[in-house]
Amino acid sequence: MFPACCDRRMCVCPGPRRIGVPGRSCSSAILFNAMSAPTRLLFPLIKNCDVGRICSSVCYCHHQHRCCPPHNSFLKLGTETRLASAFSSNQRAQLRRYVTTPQRFYLTPPQVNSILKANEYSFKVPEFDGKNISSVLGFDSNQLPANAPIEDRRSAATCLQSRGMLLGVFDGHAGCACAQAVSERLFYYMAVSLLPQETLLEIENAVESGRALLPILQWHKHPNDYFSKEASKLYFNSLRTYWQELIDLNAGENIDVKEALINSFKRLDNDLSLEAQVGDPNSFLNYWVLRVAFSGATACVAHVDGVDLHVANTGDSRALLGVQEEDGSWSAVTMSHDHNAQNESEIKRVKSEHPKEEEKSVVKQDRLLGLLMPFRAFGDVKFKWSIDLQKRVVESGPDQLNDNEYTKFIPPNYHSPPYLTAEPEVIYHRLRPKDKFLILATDGLWETMHRQDVVRIVGEYLTGVHHQQPLAVGGYKVTLGQMQGLLTERRARISSAFEDQNAATHLIRHAVGNNEFGAVDHDRLSKMLSLPEELARMYRDDITIIVVQFNSHVIGAHQNKE
């Protein structure tokens, strides 16, 4: 049911032999330092923080009936033995080939560009009478997979029967099914939530009488971004039920955008759960809705309407505003907060929703119930349904579901569900002329780059103006000759900055290829992009980025009118 790939967001090993998941609190540095020199050479790109990723992938074996060894015996093994035993013979062979014959995996610059640009997409808002009257000039987006298939999704659409534009990134875990469904459906729920009652009535009357419907959204999609045609009728029926309820509930009321966004997230998650419980006579659809419900996805979505920017976030993807100061420098404004163990307010929220007896078990090893990294997500019914409901759905479901170890596994200390919510945190910002762009990205980007570096790289790319900082060597001892080489490399980097025609691609190039001095290193980029599928997920996550560029002239005109 779920792909056999490591997933650092969720780590489950069923049965009494499940070992703890090394999170941020684990002593990964101790593990790394315990490695012998040959082992360190085996993993030339690993840093201390990356050992936790490998440990997590070792534990994620529930779907293949390969339980981890007992906790004590795992600790008694030598570090090399532990790491080597985590891989199958085929994976070890891949490792040996990668280390002993690196030239076989070397990619030329054109090959690197082909990989980086395979999923890039750009959209420019059309002009009317030679003028762009939108506060959005356009956007660039791109994806770089680490999982096979990629578990991230992205969406962008213009609201046709209301105002504004919707853009979002979705990070799946335990498979891509939930992220796929949410990326197709969430914008429709948000759009109808923002429509006035008279428009909803017109839509309902058209459906009732069999007349053609005016489209609600204009999608801006890459050819690789697909829709599930088989489920379209099911999705439409659920959406129609939602707008019918909105007609009854919102008679004559003004629409509060923040409330509308929150309600649309919660309603879609409720529909995903209900569809899985009810099932479908079509065997394919019945299996699909169960896959969607048992997998999970985080979402970070922006709604831009004139100078009004709302960002609704559920999980640990992020939104960041790029601001150009008067002196031309760049600063970053955070437009979302991570919903995980690094957010103290989230830990307090989760603990407050459950009995005091569960205070020590509800968040364990920086994960929800010791298993799930994000504290808010769509799907993931294993953290929402009662135990009885889970057993009933699994037992009455298709054989693929009933035979799957993950779906039958009940999280430990599961006493007072639901433990997980899809309710988003919504942040509002009134755009100013100095607000130049918005970046939406899944956590694959933020794990590798600091937010200030992200904003600076995008800002310099969009403006073509590079503000040079004193060359930092990060504590390394360098000779004058090496320093000259670094300066020469920096000049070359500036001259080649425009080889990318897409801001998201340019950012991914830096995220994957930056060396310790902050410069794109082609050798590193080539190695990272040529890693076999079995290894790629250990070094990085899927990366999905949308860069939205704002129209300062239109925003300034709005400001002047007021």
Side-chain angles (χ1 to χ4, degrees):
M1 176 178 173
F2 301 105
C5 61
C6 64
D7 192 333
R8 292 192 296 123
R9 290 165 166 273
M10 185 164 357
C11 195
V12 184
C13 237
R17 296 196 292 170
R18 180 183 64 82
I19 68 169
V21 184
R24 295 180 189 268
S25 60
C26 78
S27 54
S28 56
I30 296 174
L31 276 175
F32 184 79
N33 292 331
M35 293 182 189
S36 65
T39 304
R40 297 193 193 190
L41 289 174
L42 188 65
F43 299 95
L45 300 177
I46 290 184
K47 298 178 182 178
N48 289 4
C49 61
D50 293 325
V51 178
R53 305 186 188 186
I54 295 178
C55 294
S56 295
S57 68
V58 171
C59 302
Y60 192 77
C61 59
H62 52 268
H63 44 268
Q64 294 185 5
H65 304 281
R66 296 181 302 168
C67 289
C68 300
H71 188 74
N72 292 335
S73 63
F74 185 86
L75 291 176
K76 289 177 184 177
L77 293 172
T79 304
E80 288 86 351
T81 308
R82 272 181 272 164
L83 290 173
S85 64
F87 305 107
S88 66
S89 58
N90 288 338
Q91 289 172 322
R92 288 197 294 272
Q94 288 273 15
L95 276 168
R96 284 194 293 271
R97 286 200 297 272
Y98 175 65
V99 174
T100 58
T101 57
Q103 67 274 14
R104 292 175 58 187
F105 296 92
Y106 186 83
L107 299 174
T108 64
Q111 289 173 323
V112 166
N113 286 339
S114 178
I115 293 171
L116 290 179
K117 298 180 179 185
N119 297 309
E120 68 178 16
Y121 178 84
S122 295
F123 173 77
K124 302 301 178 187
V125 174
E127 296 181 347
F128 298 94
D129 295 329
K131 295 181 180 180
N132 184 344
I133 59 174
S134 171
S135 59
V136 175
L137 286 173
F139 70 86
D140 293 334
S141 72
N142 201 352
Q143 293 184 299
L144 182 67
N147 292 295
I150 186 171
E151 294 181 339
D152 281 6
R153 293 294 186 270
R154 58 182 166 178
S155 292
T158 300
C159 300
L160 297 178
Q161 299 200 36
S162 60
R163 300 178 306 176
M165 180 175 279
L166 292 165
L167 308 106
V169 294
F170 311 92
D171 192 347
H173 47 268
C176 61
C178 188
Q180 175 64 37
V182 174
S183 70
E184 293 182 39
R185 305 177 66 179
L186 181 59
F187 284 9
Y188 281 113
Y189 281 69
M190 296 172 74
V192 300
S193 297
L194 295 168
L195 290 177
Q197 189 189 37
E198 55 268 25
T199 306
L200 292 174
L201 282 168
E202 290 175 9
I203 294 173
E204 174 60 23
N205 291 334
V207 173
E208 191 68 31
S209 61
R211 290 185 283 112
L213 271 177
L214 290 174
I216 296 174
L217 297 172
Q218 177 190 355
W219 291 94
H220 312 298
K221 301 184 79 68
H222 186 278
N224 292 347
D225 302 335
Y226 59 93
F227 277 86
S228 307
K229 294 181 179 178
E230 299 87 349
S232 58
K233 185 176 180 181
L234 170 69
Y235 293 172
F236 177 81
N237 289 337
S238 295
L239 180 66
R240 184 184 181 188
T241 301
Y242 180 45
W243 81 52
Q244 288 172 338
E245 293 179 13
L246 289 175
I247 291 172
D248 295 334
L249 292 173
N250 299 336
E253 293 185 9
N254 292 326
I255 296 172
D256 180 274
V257 176
K258 181 177 179 178
E259 185 179 350
L261 300 184
I262 292 173
N263 290 339
S264 60
F265 271 61
K266 292 167 66 176
R267 178 52 182 256
L268 174 57
D269 190 55
N270 184 72
D271 283 352
L272 297 179
S273 174
L274 188 61
E275 289 161 3
Q277 294 175 50
V278 173
D280 194 280
N282 179 300
S283 59
F284 172 82
L285 280 182
N286 192 43
Y287 183 43
W288 172 251
V289 296
L290 289 166
R291 284 185 60 196
V292 169
F294 277 93
S295 58
T298 65
C300 186
V301 176
H303 177 255
V304 188
D305 181 5
V307 295
D308 297 319
L309 169 64
H310 289 83
V311 173
N313 182 56
T314 288
D316 51 11
S317 294
R318 294 182 190 170
L320 201 60
L321 195 63
V323 180
Q324 189 170 32
E325 305 297 346
E326 291 184 3
D327 63 357
S329 63
W330 295 94
S331 61
V333 175
T334 301
M335 288 297 299
S336 66
H337 300 121
D338 291 353
H339 300 134
N340 55 27
Q342 309 313 309
N343 184 337
E344 286 295 330
S345 63
E346 272 297 284
I347 293 179
K348 290 179 182 178
R349 178 191 64 81
V350 171
K351 288 184 176 181
S352 69
E353 294 173 354
H354 299 278
K356 196 166 184 64
E357 307 85 71
E358 297 185 59
E359 188 172 341
K360 293 184 178 179
S361 62
V362 68
V363 176
K364 201 170 183 180
Q365 295 177 312
D366 287 349
R367 295 175 183 249
L368 190 67
L369 296 179
L371 301 174
L372 191 65
M373 285 187 72
F375 289 180
R376 305 192 194 194
F378 286 92
D380 285 322
V381 294
K382 295 199 69 60
F383 298 86
K384 297 173 181 176
W385 288 355
S386 68
I387 294 176
D388 288 342
L389 179 57
Q390 290 188 45
K391 289 181 177 178
R392 188 163 66 249
V393 170
V394 170
E395 290 169 1
S396 62
D399 292 340
Q400 302 102 308
L401 190 73
N402 202 25
D403 295 339
N404 187 276
E405 291 294 329
Y406 168 68
T407 56
K408 291 191 291 187
F409 173 74
I410 301 298
N413 302 303
Y414 197 79
H415 306 301
S416 56
Y419 289 88
L420 191 66
T421 179
E423 180 173 339
E425 185 177 7
V426 179
I427 293 179
Y428 170 76
H429 178 80
R430 190 169 185 80
L431 292 172
R432 307 157 297 180
K434 66 178 184 177
D435 300 328
K436 301 301 181 182
F437 56 86
L438 177 73
I439 299 169
L440 303 169
T442 54
D443 63 347
L445 173 68
W446 311 112
E447 288 170 356
T448 61
M449 297 188 72
H450 188 273
R451 62 176 193 160
Q452 188 59 46
D453 293 329
V454 168
V455 165
R456 177 184 55 79
I457 288 169
V458 172
E460 291 179 353
Y461 170 83
L462 292 176
T463 62
V465 178
H466 295 258
H467 293 268
Q468 299 295 358
Q469 301 295 323
L471 189 63
V473 294
Y476 291 86
K477 293 181 179 180
V478 295
T479 65
L480 286 175
Q482 291 171 325
M483 182 66 75
Q484 182 182 9
L486 290 170
L487 291 169
T488 302
E489 184 179 314
R490 184 159 79 172
R491 280 200 301 272
R493 186 168 79 251
I494 294 170
S495 64
S496 64
F498 295 98
E499 67 184 58
D500 294 318
Q501 304 301 311
N502 181 295
T505 304
H506 189 66
L507 194 49
I508 290 176
R509 187 184 299 275
H510 278 267
V512 178
N514 269 11
N515 60 19
E516 60 268 32
F517 304 112
V520 175
D521 182 333
H522 177 75
D523 286 344
R524 178 181 174 83
L525 197 56
S526 175
K527 287 178 182 178
M528 293 295 285
L529 295 179
S530 60
L531 285 171
E533 289 180 359
E534 295 86 351
L535 297 180
R537 186 59 183 84
M538 298 178 189
Y539 292 95
R540 60 178 177 82
D541 197 356
D542 297 331
I543 300 175
T544 298
I545 301 171
I546 299 177
V547 179
V548 188
Q549 194 171 358
F550 295 123
N551 190 334
S552 298
H553 299 295
V554 171
I555 293 171
H558 271 280
Q559 200 173 59
N560 292 335
K561 285 181 181 178
E562 296 172 356

